[in-house]
Amino acid sequence: MFDTPNDRLLFDVSHQAYIHKIITGRRERFETIRQPGGLNGFCLRTESEHDCYGAGHAGTALSAALGMAVARDMAGGSEHVVAVAGDAAFTNGISFEALNNVAAQTRRLIIVLNDNEWSIDRNVGAIAGYFHRIVTNEHYQHLHSSAAKILERLGGKKVLKVAKKAEEAAKGILWPSMMFEEFGLEYFGPIDGHNIPLLVETFKFLKTIDHPVLLHVLTQKGRGYQPALDGQKKFHGLGPYDPETGQTKPAGQQTYSEAFANTLVELARADERIVAITAAMPNGTGLDLFRPHHPKRYFDVGIAEEHAVIFAAGMATRGFRPVCAIYSTFLQRAFDPIVHDVALQKLPVVFCMDRAGLSGDDGPTHHGLFDIAYLRGIPEMTLMAPKDEDELADMMKTAFELPGPSAIRYPRGAVAGVARKAEPRVLPVGRAEVIADGADVAIFGLGPMIGLAAELAEQLERDGFSAALINPRFVKPIDREVIERYAQRVAAFVTFEDHVKMGGFGSAVAEALQEAGCAVPVVRIGWPDHFIEHGKVDALRAKYGLTVEEAETQVLPLIAHRKRRALVAS
Ligand SMILES: Cc1ncc(C[n+]2csc(CCOP(=O)(O)OP(=O)(O)O)c2C)c(N)n1
């Protein structure tokens, strides 16, 4: 019914665009999806002219579509603009900010509300309830088949003639949604989103309408594949599985998300002020493990990161200790609430940032590579990165002792696998852990990047240098005492971080050195000033120089004279 790329078809989040990819020239390459060098899992403007808008984060489709519709109107174009958004996208404020604008800005825009009653988990909140009431309304149930028949009869040349009449008829028969009508959109539906002939006839009709419309379609998550129907949450996104049975590989080692959740369960047992907040990611953040233990202290607010943070701020003003468990990439949404609501008021909200660092197969929309840069400059903020799961627990315990806001960044995937202490301990704030002392070079490995730092230290020791190995623990406040101490002794610093170099931990070290009047060079190993594509973490690290070899190549010329001196001395 629509002719892309001339017509503009855009998807909210856009992980729903697999069929779109198949029918717009990417069928042959489809099996490469989410593989290194293959198709991206989301729409990407650089991947195809049929992907008119890239996404990955929720809530953007309506605003972007309205922008395209207004651009078309201003240029005098005639193309259609169609936004497809899931029911959970309507729990996001941006969708409503767009709705508030639509009727005043354009007369032609088609919004499809693709309602499967699921976010990643079950959709939550009043909007989900509202959609559910429309769908289960007796009036609608009774009249649905006659409405469908009317729409089915529409089409072809008859459409224009009968449009007006049908519109009236359809409006009278279909259960109207007051909410969308109040926003100035004409509401149609709900109709069966798996009935292709009905959808075709409906779109033929909607194309003739000269005001913004919203079509509510009902779909089933996992339709057509029994294992996905049996495990709708699991099949939202998963690794390789057996297509016959839907079985995935048995879960291996514990993840950081699980370690976080288990620790929070324990800490919340001892401290009744602790509450946990997720923005529609109970599964991904691990909080679904917290929920059964403390159901009254668990809050899923929908895909609403800004609200989650301000809600946490509100609770903190009343003595609670809220934890916002939000992926590094999605917390970007809440930058202003972190500054304006939490930090400025010095409220003790704890941000637990899962997926901090490269997110691998998800690609640039999901890599968590900016959080240090966006949090480091905020006054009152304490920013930590654990080297392993035991230290994560210590940092969580420490965070709850602080009078103001704090954030802990930890990566996607498996923990280091170290032994856990029986009880987490409170860490001295702003103090790094010197793992090994050394006199020629000081090597800092932030968080799990301590692994690469340790390898480099060993390598340099083998080469005849004396290398200090330091686990910074705190990005902010940074340990100036340790930095200044080593600045007096070593010929160079090396910093490793799973974050962009610009504004990251290495930059913080360089700033501290400069402020202390020390001219020691810093080799910063981190991600370049460039959006990183999807792929396997190790391969991308090798491609962009986040390796021991790269660090060694850069640092050797800076410390070479030390080795000669050492040799002469011996
Ligand atoms: C800002 C933001 N927060 C969280 C997510 C994680 N996320 C990806 S898909 C999804 C659920 C989307 O549900 P819905 O909009 O109903 O679309 P569906 O997947 O059901 O088609 C969520 C929460 C995201 N993509 N963006």
Side-chain angles (χ1 to χ4, degrees), residues 1 148-156 158-159 191 195-207:
M1 293 316 303
K149 273 188 206 123
I150 286 200
L151 286 170
E152 261 172 357
R153 279 211 305 276
L154 297 172
K158 276 189 294 178
V159 146
I191 65 169
N195 182 339
I196 305 284
L198 174 60
L199 284 176
V200 167
E201 295 310 320
T202 306
F203 282 122
K204 263 187 204 166
F205 168 59
L206 295 181
K207 280 168 74 169

Side-chain angles (χ1 to χ4, degrees), residues 12-16 42 55-60 84-92 94 113-121 123 219 221 236 279-282 302-305 326-327 329-331 333 365-366:
D12 200 273
V13 190
S14 86
H15 61 294
Q16 309 90 334
F42 301 92
H57 291 197
T60 64
V84 181
D87 48 303
F90 286 84
T91 63
N92 187 270
I94 310 174
L113 159 56
N114 178 18
D115 182 1
N116 60 12
E117 299 194 347
W118 285 81
S119 180
I120 290 179
D121 242 84
N123 199 7
T219 55
K221 188 165 178 139
H236 179 90
M281 302 297 283
I303 312 178
E305 289 79 8
I326 300 180
Y327 288 8
T329 187
F330 299 140
L331 195 62
R333 277 279 167 86
T365 52
H366 283 58

Side-chain angles (χ1 to χ4, degrees), residues 327-359:
Y327 288 8
S328 162
T329 187
F330 299 140
L331 195 62
Q332 288 165 194
R333 277 279 167 86
F335 179 67
D336 184 60
I338 296 171
V339 175
H340 167 269
D341 297 86
V342 175
L344 183 56
Q345 306 193 86
K346 208 177 171 186
L347 293 170
V349 175
V350 180
F351 298 99
C352 286
M353 300 183 291
D354 203 317
R355 288 2 179 226
L358 200 79
S359 191

